[in-house]
Each structure stands twice: as structure tokens, then as C-alpha cells.
């Protein structure tokens, strides 16, 4: 009997622009493994069939992106502690017929900084998170793991920042984005999780003048790679890390579960994604 090659997918709506197939196919090629990774668009009115869709399509697992991360968490048979903490899943795999779920966004955020700026979390202290959506939630979780305190969540819509702060408890505080100028004083880390700066559109109305001289500034936007926020940080001689590595690193745990080998986030992979971003800009 012919052996069935393992196949995974990215589930979202839409998924046409997802770079995940490029990442996983590169790793399959590089490691000489049989298998594939496809785009699987699933409309919101079909997501309740998530497990059936994966079984029918013979998938060994999947990544999940907007707008289905919360549904994936809810629909999995079992979720690990990170997915439970975040109430959202981005990585699914089967074990003994059960659909298991985790969330690797926070892991990807940390792994990117560990790789780009070794020792970045050594001085800890105050961290400021701009935005209060799903990505912000994963990043707040990650920063708490590494001992940052307090973590301040600043958002245009204060209520969403307050909800997020309440979810995590005492170490996380909320403030309106308009107060960034004062809140940033003595911050040791600033991360943008909003779409401000994407395609160089939109600006923040604060400067990084007051942050600690050893502060790390990072952005989850990676188009352009050097956002306006990161350019300002570099001009002030602050440490900066772009957001592309988070995308690459969050993909690695799923690959290992589905295909059985630990993949490498290399300069070659980074270049493949950069070339693709360039050609689609
Ligand atoms: P994600 O899952 O990527 O975090 P999201 O849940 O849609 O995406 O969250 C987007 C975040 O970007 C929100 O914090 C949003 O602020 P609001 O809650 O006020 O909508 C923020 N955001 C988007 N556009 C923004 C803008 N022009 N200025 C400031 N914040 C913005």
C-alpha cells in the first residue's frame, strides 16, 4: 500500500496572502521530507466543521489564522495551558484521533527576540504594549513569562485594554493610547501590536524620548521591515527587532509536531519571505 504523505494546512478567511506555505514548504525541502502544506480557506459559517474538514482532507494538523483562532480553541478536543490562557489557538494536530491545540504566537515573539537580541529580557522592568487585540494578548502573556512588570497595555479603545488587563490580573495595567507620551517614561520594552505603520501608513503621536536608554523596541508589523517606530528607535540608538522573526518562529512548533523534525529559522528562510514580500508589495 502506498504510504500517505503527511499534509498540513493554514486555515483562515481569507488565506490567499498567508506566507505559511512558503515557510513550511521551505523546511520540507531543506530537510528532504515528504509532505505538503496547503492553504485551506474556511468561511465563518463552516468553521464549526473544523475537525471534520481536517479528517476529510487527511490533514495531520493545521495552523489557524484570522478570524478563526478563538473558534479553533473552542472546537479542539483538548487545548494546552497556553491556548487556555489565551482563549485562542493557532496550531492544531491529531493525537490518537483527538484534535489538540496550542498557541505559539507568544513563543514566536519570545524566540524572535531571543535570537535577534540575546539577553533582551535581562533588565526586565516596565513593558509597554501598544494595542489590545489577539496578538497583544499573546505578547502580554509572553512578557509576563519573562518577568516584565508592570506590563502596560495602551489602546485606542480603552475598554479593550482594560478587559485584557483584567484577564491577566495585578501585573497588567491599562491606559488610553493618547497617554503613551507619559506612560513610556522609563519603559524597558515597547512593542507595537497595532496595524499602525503597516505599509508606512499611520503614525503614533508620541516619541520614544523618555524610554530607558537600554530599551528594546519591537513591532509585529513587518511590511516594511523597518517601520517608522523602529526607524525612530534606531535613530535614538535603542535596540530594535523587526517582526518577521515572530512569524517564522511561531511556525516551528507546528512543523515539528506534523513532520517530526525541528526546523531551522535561518537567514535563507528570512530572505525567501522578504523576496516574496517585495514581489507582492
Ligand atoms: P490582532 O489579532 O492582530 O491583534 P485585532 O484583534 O484586530 O488584530 O487588533 C488590532 C489592534 O490594533 C487593536 O488594538 C486596535 O485598536 P482598537 O481596539 O481601538 O480598534 C489597533 N488599531 C488598529 N488600527 C489602529 C489605529 N489606526 N490607531 C491605533 N490603534 C489601531
Amino acid at each position: 500500500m502506498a504510504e500517505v504523505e503527511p499534509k498540513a494546512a493554514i486555515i483562515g478567511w481569507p488565506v490567499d496572502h498567508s506566507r505559511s506555505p512558503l515557510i513550511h514548504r521551505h523546511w520540507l525541502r531543506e530537510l528532504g521530507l515528504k509532505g505538503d502544506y496547503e492553504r485551506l480557506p474556511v468561511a465563518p459559517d463552516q468553521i464549526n466543521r473544523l475537525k471534520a474538514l481536517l479528517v476529510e482532507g487527511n490533514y495531520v494538523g493545521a495552523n489557524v489564522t484570522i478570524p478563526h483562532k478563538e473558534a479553533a480553541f473552542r472546537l479542539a478536543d483538548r487545548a494546552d495551558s497556553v491556548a487556555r490562557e489565551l482563549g485562542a489557538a493557532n496550531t492544531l494536530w491529531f493525537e490518537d484521533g483527538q484534535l489538540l491545540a496550542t498557541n505559539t504566537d507568544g513563543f514566536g515573539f519570545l524566540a524572535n527576540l531571543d535570537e535577534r537580541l540575546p539577553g533582551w529580557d535581562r533588565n526586565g522592568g516596565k513593558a509597554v504594549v501598544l494595542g489590545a487585540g489577539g496578538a497583544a494578548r499573546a505578547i502580554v502573556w509572553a512578557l509576563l513569562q519573562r518577568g516584565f512588570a508592570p506590563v502596560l497595555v495602551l489602546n485606542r479603545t480603552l475598554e479593550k485594554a482594560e478587559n485584557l488587563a483584567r484577564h491577566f490580573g495585578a501585573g497588567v495595567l491599562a491606559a488610553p493610547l493618547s497617554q503613551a507620551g507619559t506612560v513610556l517614561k522609563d519603559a524597558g520594552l515597547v512593542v507595537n501590536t497595532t496595524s499602525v505603520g503597516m505599509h508606512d501608513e499611520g503614525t503614533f503621536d508620541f516619541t520614544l524620548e523618555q524610554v530607558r536608554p537600554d530599551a528594546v523596541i519591537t513591532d509585529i508589523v513587518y511590511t516594511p521591515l523597518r517601520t517608522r517606530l523602529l526607524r525612530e528607535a534606531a535613530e535614538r540608538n535603542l535596540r530594535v527587532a523587526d517582526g518577521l522573526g515572530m512569524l517564522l518562529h511561531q511556525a516551528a512548533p507546528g512543523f515539528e509536531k506534523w513532520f517530526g523534525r525541528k526546523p531551522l529559522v535561518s537567514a535563507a528562510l528570512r530572505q525567501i519571505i522578504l523576496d516574496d514580500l517585495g514581489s507582492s508589495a
Side-chain angles (χ1 to χ4, degrees):
M1 204 172 78
E3 204 178 310
V4 181
E5 292 184 5
K7 193 174 65 162
I10 170 79
I11 290 177
W13 186 261
V15 282
D16 336 355
H17 296 298
S18 168
R19 264 80 195 190
S20 293
L22 273 179
I23 299 171
H24 290 280
R25 286 178 179 172
H26 166 78
W27 282 334
L28 286 166
R29 225 176 20 249
E30 185 177 63
L31 292 165
L33 299 174
K34 290 202 158 66
D36 202 5
Y37 185 101
E38 302 171 344
R39 290 189 170 84
L40 183 57
V42 176
D45 65 356
Q46 289 298 307
I47 193 63
N48 282 337
R49 296 196 64 247
L50 175 66
K51 189 174 176 183
L53 288 169
L54 291 173
V55 171
E56 287 160 15
N58 267 319
Y59 292 103
V60 293
N63 283 128
V64 182
T65 188
I66 291 167
H68 295 322
K69 290 185 186 184
E70 285 83 8
F73 164 70
R74 178 170 50 79
L75 294 165
D77 295 314
R78 211 145 34 92
D80 72 358
S81 59
V82 189
R84 289 202 303 273
E85 176 74 44
L86 300 177
N90 74 339
T91 304
L92 304 171
W93 69 102
F94 283 101
E95 252 176 59
D96 302 326
Q98 289 222 303
L99 186 61
L100 305 196
T102 188
N103 191 313
T104 66
D105 285 335
F107 164 85
F109 173 78
L110 294 176
N112 180 39
L113 292 178
D114 287 342
E115 182 206 325
R116 312 296 288 185
L117 302 170
W120 65 278
D121 56 348
R122 205 171 292 141
N123 298 334
K126 183 203 276 188
V128 176
V129 176
L130 307 170
R137 182 175 284 238
I139 287 169
V140 169
W141 171 85
L143 292 171
L144 292 173
Q145 294 292 309
R146 293 295 177 94
F148 282 87
V151 177
L152 284 120
V153 179
L154 305 190
N155 201 41
R156 184 177 56 181
T157 312
L158 178 61
E159 195 188 346
K160 273 172 69 179
E162 286 173 340
N163 288 342
L164 206 155
R166 206 172 301 123
H167 172 82
F168 284 105
V172 182
L173 305 167
L177 191 57
S178 55
Q179 281 180 17
T182 45
V183 170
L184 282 171
K185 188 168 167 11
D186 299 328
L189 181 133
V190 180
V191 51
N192 174 42
T193 76
T194 75
S195 45
V196 173
M198 195 179 285
H199 308 308
D200 265 341
E201 284 162 16
T203 46
F204 292 115
D205 62 0
F206 58 81
T207 73
L208 296 168
E209 193 179 346
Q210 302 250 54
V211 304
R212 269 186 0 222
D214 67 338
V216 166
I217 316 298
T218 183
D219 204 321
I220 69 165
V221 171
Y222 52 83
T223 50
L225 212 48
R226 282 274 164 131
T227 57
R228 221 170 251 150
L229 182 71
L230 297 188
R231 296 200 295 270
E232 187 203 333
E235 277 162 20
R236 293 182 185 275
N237 287 320
L238 300 167
R239 291 181 291 169
V240 301
D242 65 66
L244 181 56
M246 179 176 168
L247 172 76
L248 306 179
H249 282 284
Q250 63 78 32
F255 184 92
E256 195 174 348
K257 288 202 182 298
W258 308 318
F259 303 114
R261 295 275 300 277
K262 199 180 177 71
L264 198 65
V265 173
S266 63
L269 174 60
R270 237 178 111 79
Q271 195 54 51
I272 287 172
I273 305 302
L274 284 174
D275 290 346
D276 186 67
L277 290 169
S279 65
S280 66

